[in-house]
């Protein structure tokens, strides 16, 4: 019988280095009194998948009472990040061709910024921020316009107003002070109409591919998503993109990913 030789570590081929997964920003949209039962179910799912941190997008002008405000305070104490998300999350009128097309293909009647001029947008954002302070909540550092439609304001307008440190756009996360955007794809699961399912599947497939190149991804969850056809895809993405991070880190210069970098925003944010 031939002698048995013990293998030394040098006899083993080196293990292939595992790629660093993209950093994932996870947000739950549309916190309103009417959506809180669905939001609670969503947060339970995120806890099951050990997702942390999680940013909660609060719509202030939707009839919050004292009990609801206390629940927001409890969520804040539990470590959830609260962000501003418009005022009513709906618009009473469609203003102009661009808004009409945006409403038809993407936002329906929620893009309230698109019905406002520059001063109206800034006033709405200021009202949103002031509401948090009036309720004893921490002033949010992040603002997310409904449907990511910021409207008729420029980077200079936002910088001069000094209301929020960051604004989330459809293309990525804007650092207001520098005017730079950290680009990242956003994945969505709100397949609440027959045409939306196939479109979102294609959109998310492209977004996952871009996430690998940019080193970051945004997972945007709406309250009804758990009851819609793409719930399994949502849970798969929570497992796939398990390197969760905070919005505050997305534009700090250290979280630009392997190939992402950032770019300066143009003069008009629309």
């Amino acid at each position: 019988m031939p002698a048995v030789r013990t293998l030394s570590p040098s006899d083993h081929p080196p293990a292939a280095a595992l790629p660093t997964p993209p950093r994932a920003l996870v947000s739950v949209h549309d916190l309103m009194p009417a959506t809180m039962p669905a939001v609670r179910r969503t947060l339970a799912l995120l806890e099951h998948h050990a997702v942390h941190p999680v940013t909660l997008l609060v719509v202030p002008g939707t009839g919050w009472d004292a009990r609801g405000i206390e629940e927001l305070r409890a969520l804040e104490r539990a470590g959830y990040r609260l962000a501003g998300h418009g005022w009513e999350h709906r618009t009473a009128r469609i203003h102009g061709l661009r808004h009409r097309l945006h409403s038809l293909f993407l936002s329906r009647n929620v893009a309230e910024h698109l019905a406002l001029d520059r001063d109206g947008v800034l006033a709405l954002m200021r009202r949103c921020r002031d509401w948090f302070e009036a309720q004893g909540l921490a002033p949010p550092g992040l603002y997310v316009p409904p449907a990511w439609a910021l409207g008729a304001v420029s980077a200079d307008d936002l910088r001069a107003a000094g209301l929020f440190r960051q604004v989330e756009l459809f293309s990525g996360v804007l650092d207001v002070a520098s005017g730079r955007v950290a680009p990242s794809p956003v994945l969505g699961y709100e397949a609440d109409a027959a045409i939306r399912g196939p479109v979102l599947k294609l959109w998310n497939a492209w977004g996952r591919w871009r996430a690998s190149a940019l080193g970051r991804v945004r997972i945007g969850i709406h309250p009804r998503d758990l009851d819609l056809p793409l719930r399994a895809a949502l849970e798969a993405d929570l497992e796939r993109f398990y390197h969760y991070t905070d919005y505050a880190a997305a534009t700090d210069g250290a979280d630009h990913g392997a190939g992402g970098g950032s770019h300066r925003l143009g003069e008009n944010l629309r």
Side-chain angles (χ1 to χ4, degrees):
M1 178 181 293
V4 176
R5 183 172 69 90
T6 301
L7 295 177
S8 68
S10 61
D11 292 317
H12 294 280
L18 294 176
T20 302
R23 294 178 180 266
L25 303 168
V26 178
S27 60
V28 179
H29 289 229
D30 305 350
L31 268 71
M32 316 175 194
T35 65
M36 288 308 293
V39 168
R40 294 181 199 108
R41 291 178 56 219
T42 302
L43 297 184
L45 176 75
L46 295 177
E47 289 180 10
H48 173 75
H49 287 276
V51 180
H52 180 80
V54 175
T55 300
L56 307 179
L57 277 51
V58 180
V59 185
T62 51
W64 293 94
D65 60 15
R67 183 175 179 180
I69 297 299
E70 183 51 42
E71 183 169 11
L72 293 179
R73 291 173 184 158
L75 290 169
E76 191 174 64
R77 290 192 297 270
Y80 291 97
R81 278 71 163 171
L82 303 187
H85 192 40
W87 181 252
E88 293 183 313
H89 203 267
R90 63 182 176 85
T91 180
R93 65 189 181 98
I94 302 296
H95 179 70
L97 178 61
R98 181 178 180 274
H99 191 182
R100 187 169 301 280
L101 294 174
H102 197 282
S103 175
L104 179 64
F105 292 107
L106 180 63
S107 62
R108 297 172 180 166
N109 71 333
V110 307
E112 57 188 324
H113 282 217
L114 296 184
L116 303 172
D117 61 10
R118 169 190 171 277
D119 290 341
V121 169
L122 293 175
L124 185 151
M125 293 176 68
R126 184 173 292 105
R127 187 181 187 188
C128 176
R129 184 186 185 279
D130 290 349
W131 179 88
F132 282 83
E133 292 190 270
Q135 310 309 320
L137 298 164
L142 172 70
Y143 181 81
V144 185
W148 297 281
L150 190 55
V153 291
S154 70
D156 287 341
D157 293 332
L158 293 175
R159 188 180 306 112
L163 297 172
F164 298 92
R165 293 190 302 274
Q166 295 174 306
V167 174
E168 185 177 0
L169 308 171
F170 198 65
S171 59
V173 182
L174 166 70
D175 177 77
V176 171
S178 68
R180 299 193 70 84
V181 175
S184 61
V186 59
L187 308 183
Y189 312 91
E190 199 176 15
D192 56 357
I195 188 60
R196 285 197 168 200
V199 170
L200 282 171
K201 286 180 181 179
L202 290 173
W203 174 262
N204 289 346
W206 184 55
R208 294 178 193 112
W209 177 81
R210 288 186 65 219
S212 298
L214 290 169
R216 55 183 169 262
V217 67
R218 289 172 288 154
I219 297 176
I221 307 171
H222 288 80
R224 293 181 55 206
D225 287 354
L226 271 59
D227 299 317
L228 297 175
L230 295 186
R231 172 176 176 156
L234 165 59
E235 295 199 59
D237 283 334
L238 293 174
E239 294 294 330
R240 178 183 291 111
F241 300 113
Y242 57 85
H243 194 27
Y244 309 114
T245 192
D246 192 309
Y247 272 82
T251 57
D252 65 0
D255 188 23
H256 286 162
S262 63
H263 63 266
R264 187 169 294 281
L265 202 64
E267 177 65 19
N268 196 305
L269 303 188
R270 288 183 292 176

